């Protein structure tokens, strides 16, 4: 983390979990535990249908609500999809783009990630853009090249002001939902590499202002060590964000002096 130049953001990714009543119960359970966030921003990305209910449930807190996906077109014949304006109008502030599960199961590509990033920013949403390598890619030694490609593709055509509003989440695919976390050093190295790519493309001022998260089996036990890395500015948390105690512990780890 680097509190001088950029925001620390702890974001939960609920994936396809929790009904509306479970969402409300989570809000009631976590509210008394959370205390003041201090400098850390807290986000919960929830299934689209539950966004209005989640916004209401977290109304008197500083928890921002986000979507987990969006379409890049403004309207049209795209059965089952939601637009950025729809997300915005029901109170979402963030949207996850290019999660590896979307890339794997729903044909998300670096091209659609770029289009969606443009659309989200145009609507005033902050995109959380996910990048990350598979185990095979890591073992073949192409992690750096792949991440550089994914980051450049995602940000292509954005101006400096827009890049500052993008959150990048480095999520090695082999660490997602597997309980196998990248070591703090491995995660820190790739996040530093991402910042170096942004520095090269957009300059030092933009690079130091961008929030870069780590995601992939981040939990109550390993969060503090990961967040102690200078280029890891938060987390995108799946499993551990479903439990109020664990999620609170991670938020508190981000609020350490
Ligand atoms: P996990 O998921 O924390 O359950 O590994 C992270 C993610 O997919 O964003």
């Amino acid at each position: 983390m680097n509190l001088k130049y950029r925001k620390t953001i702890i974001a939960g990714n609920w994936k396809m979990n929790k009904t509306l009543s479970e969402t409300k119960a989570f809000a009631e359970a976590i509210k008394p535990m959370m205390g003041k966030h201090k400098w850390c921003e807290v986000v919960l990305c929830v299934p689209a249908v539950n966004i209005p209910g989640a916004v209401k449930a977290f109304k008197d807190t500083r928890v921002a609500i986000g979507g987990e996906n969006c379409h890049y077109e403004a309207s049209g014949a795209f059965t089952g999809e939601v637009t950025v304006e729809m997300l915005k109008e029901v109170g979402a502030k963030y949207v996850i783009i290019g999660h590896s599960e979307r890339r794997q199961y729903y044909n998300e590509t670096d091209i659609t990630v770029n289009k969606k990033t443009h659309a989200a920013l145009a609507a005033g949403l902050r995109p959380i853009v996910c990048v990350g390598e598979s185990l095979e890619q890591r073992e073949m030694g192409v992690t750096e090249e792949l991440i550089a490609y994914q980051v450049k593709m995602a940000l292509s055509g954005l101006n400096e002001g827009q890049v500052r509003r993008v959150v990048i989440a480095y999520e090695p695919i082999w660490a997602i939902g597997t309980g196998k976390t990248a070591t703090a050093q491995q995660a820190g190295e790739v996040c530093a590499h991402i910042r170096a790519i942004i520095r090269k493309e957009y300059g030092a001022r933009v690079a130091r202002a961008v929030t870069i998260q780590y995601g992939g089996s981040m939990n109550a036990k390993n969060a503090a060590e990961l967040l102690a890395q200078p280029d890891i500015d938060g987390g995108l948390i799946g499993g551990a964000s479903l439990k109020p105690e664990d999620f609170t512990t991670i938020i508190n780890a981000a609020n350490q002096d």
Side-chain angles (χ1 to χ4, degrees), residues 1-3 8-10 33-34 36-42 218-229 232-235 237 244-257:
M1 299 189 292
N2 184 326
L3 304 173
T8 302
I9 304 175
I10 298 295
M33 293 180 203
M34 279 207 315
K36 293 218 168 62
H37 300 172
K38 292 202 232 166
W39 42 79
C40 157
E41 202 153 312
V42 180
M218 191 189 255
N219 58 39
K221 288 207 180 82
N222 60 27
E225 198 192 347
L226 288 159
L227 294 168
Q229 292 287 319
I232 300 182
D233 311 312
I237 298 125
E245 298 79 10
D246 290 6
F247 196 50
T248 309
T249 305
I250 298 170
I251 295 166
N252 290 340
N255 276 330
Q256 297 298 316
D257 288 303

Side-chain angles (χ1 to χ4, degrees), residues 85-134:
E85 286 299 336
M86 291 172 192
L87 294 175
K88 174 89 196 232
E89 207 177 299
V90 292
K93 300 274 191 269
Y94 288 78
V95 61
I96 297 172
I97 292 174
H99 190 278
S100 65
E101 287 148 20
R102 302 275 333 162
R103 292 180 191 253
Q104 186 181 350
Y105 304 129
Y106 303 99
N107 301 325
E108 193 90 73
T109 66
D110 291 302
I111 303 273
T112 58
V113 167
N114 177 256
K115 288 183 179 176
K116 290 179 180 200
T117 304
H118 277 268
L121 289 165
L125 296 172
R126 290 195 71 177
I128 300 176
V129 176
C130 302
V131 297
E133 82 286 1
S134 66

Side-chain angles (χ1 to χ4, degrees), residues 128-201:
I128 300 176
V129 176
C130 302
V131 297
E133 82 286 1
S134 66
L135 188 58
E136 291 84 347
Q137 288 163 333
R138 175 162 280 267
E139 286 171 354
M140 287 166 101
V142 298
T143 300
E144 286 205 356
E145 288 87 343
L146 180 86
I147 299 291
Y149 178 79
Q150 290 179 332
V151 170
K152 283 189 197 172
M153 285 291 284
L155 304 182
S156 175
L158 299 180
N159 64 36
E160 288 183 7
Q162 289 173 314
V163 173
R164 283 170 185 263
R165 290 186 53 75
V166 174
V167 178
I168 310 265
Y170 167 56
E171 298 208 307
I173 298 168
W174 48 271
I176 295 175
T178 57
K180 244 197 230 171
T181 324
T183 64
Q185 196 199 338
Q186 282 173 326
E189 272 171 17
V190 180
C191 290
H193 172 59
I194 292 171
R195 200 174 309 285
I197 295 156
I198 298 173
R199 191 179 303 121
K200 207 163 149 223
E201 301 284 314

